[in-house]
Amino acid sequence: MGLLFGSGMLLSVLPRLSADNPWKFSLSLPVTICLLAAAWLVKARTGELVALVLLALVSALNDSRSAASILATAFLILSWQRARAALQLRSTALRVGVSIVLLGLMTYFVMQSFILQGFLGEGAQLRSEAQIRSSGSLLLGGRPEIGATLALLRASPGGYGLGVVPNFADIYTAKSGMERLNYDANNGYVERYMFGGAFEVHSVMGDLWLRCGPMGLAFLLAMLVLVLRNSAARLAEGRGRALTTFLAIQVVWDAFFSPFYTTAALALTVAVGLLVRLPTRARDDAAGVPE
């Protein structure tokens, strides 16, 4: 399923490759899904780890900081799963969840250090330094849309509705929130892309909440619980695979930092599709049916 889904994504982006960094903006997600699905198909667990490392390096060299960090985190999680199995250590979904959070934080700070020391290129280094200087944080500096999201939700916690076009007051509120992060919001990106015809705050959670209100937020949280619970259960049983682990981390990142109506919706769809069958597969494994 993952291989077919990834192949479809790849075929859909090839005719319209981004001229500006095609790996980062077009190829990264479909190629990653295809390679990790292929490794899963041939049951090459070591191959999955190698693929994660190679994909992380390619992403780092193509100025895709978030993708490199997600792939590195998935590599660390699966390496810990193998080490735990070798040491015959028992675990639970809760312990796995705590381990994932700790590994994710460790990866974030290590990657930030690499970026600031210039290992990912001078361009990424200079941009990251400027973002930290402006907002005090690499995440807030790289995603000033967070300021707009918080300002709009403070003004209207119930959301604004599907199909609603932001008016002048909404745009002014959003710009004020972004300017609190020392971001100059008077530009075409904010006025045309973010609020030209709809609310687009570069966050699945923000997009769904602003457009669909509390029900949109509830829907996203339910999907996240489904994906994370089943992914953690797989890892606790020693059955975590590179593709499902990568997708679980990806959908969490997308929930906070990616637009919904692009690749985020596709990543969420394939993650739910691959992980929702965990109870059935767990019964099959107990009965001796090979994965």
Side-chain angles (χ1 to χ4, degrees):
M1 174 183 170
L3 187 58
L4 291 173
F5 200 103
S7 299
M9 290 178 65
L10 187 59
L11 290 173
S12 71
V13 302
L14 285 177
R16 48 186 177 85
L17 282 178
S18 170
D20 179 22
N21 199 336
W23 174 261
K24 180 177 181 179
F25 296 113
S26 301
L27 296 173
S28 176
L29 185 62
V31 170
T32 297
I33 290 176
C34 287
L35 287 181
L36 297 183
W40 186 356
L41 185 65
V42 299
K43 297 180 172 59
R45 288 187 177 268
T46 301
E48 292 180 359
L49 295 177
V50 173
L52 287 171
V53 172
L54 293 177
L55 289 165
L57 288 173
V58 172
S59 296
L61 294 174
N62 283 275
D63 194 26
S64 186
R65 296 172 294 178
S66 60
S69 299
I70 291 170
L71 290 160
T73 303
F75 172 81
L76 291 175
I77 291 170
L78 292 175
S79 296
W80 169 239
Q81 176 184 252
R82 296 188 68 170
R84 196 180 67 238
L87 296 172
Q88 297 183 340
L89 299 177
R90 299 184 63 184
S91 188
T92 64
L94 178 60
R95 291 176 183 174
V96 167
V98 173
S99 300
I100 290 173
V101 172
L102 294 176
L103 288 171
L105 290 173
M106 182 180 72
T107 304
Y108 169 76
F109 288 112
V110 170
M111 288 296 293
Q112 178 175 277
S113 177
F114 283 171
I115 292 169
L116 295 177
Q117 292 181 37
F119 289 109
L120 271 64
E122 184 179 0
Q125 179 185 10
L126 294 175
R127 188 169 65 256
S128 299
E129 289 174 346
Q131 290 169 349
I132 293 174
R133 280 197 305 271
S134 65
S135 64
S137 165
L138 189 59
L139 285 177
L140 292 178
R143 288 290 183 269
E145 299 91 347
I146 295 173
T149 305
L150 296 177
L152 289 167
L153 288 174
R154 279 195 296 266
S156 179
Y160 292 82
L162 281 170
V164 173
V165 178
N167 58 31
F168 176 80
D170 299 329
I171 298 174
Y172 177 79
T173 299
K175 285 185 174 183
S176 299
M178 299 177 80
E179 287 168 355
R180 293 191 190 100
L181 299 177
N182 297 317
Y183 177 80
D184 183 6
N186 293 310
N187 58 60
Y189 168 73
V190 174
E191 294 167 358
R192 291 194 294 270
Y193 174 75
M194 291 182 64
F195 305 112
F199 289 91
E200 176 51 71
V201 291
H202 218 285
S203 160
V204 173
M205 183 177 292
D207 286 348
L208 290 179
W209 195 345
L210 290 171
R211 300 181 189 199
C212 305
M215 290 301 296
L217 176 63
F219 168 78
L220 176 63
L221 293 178
M223 295 299 99
L224 289 177
V225 168
L226 176 65
V227 168
L228 294 177
R229 181 193 64 189
N230 289 352
S231 180
R234 277 184 174 270
L235 290 164
E237 296 168 0
R239 300 193 306 120
R241 306 306 294 249
L243 179 58
T244 52
T245 304
F246 162 77
L247 286 171
I249 303 169
Q250 181 71 50
V251 297
V252 173
W253 172 266
D254 289 343
F256 295 98
F257 305 117
S258 297
F260 181 60
Y261 291 108
T262 54
T263 55
L266 299 175
L268 180 61
T269 301
V270 69
V272 171
L274 288 173
L275 287 163
V276 74
R277 298 183 63 219
L278 174 63
T280 302
R281 300 307 295 268
R283 290 195 296 270
D284 289 345
D285 289 349
V289 178
E291 184 172 358

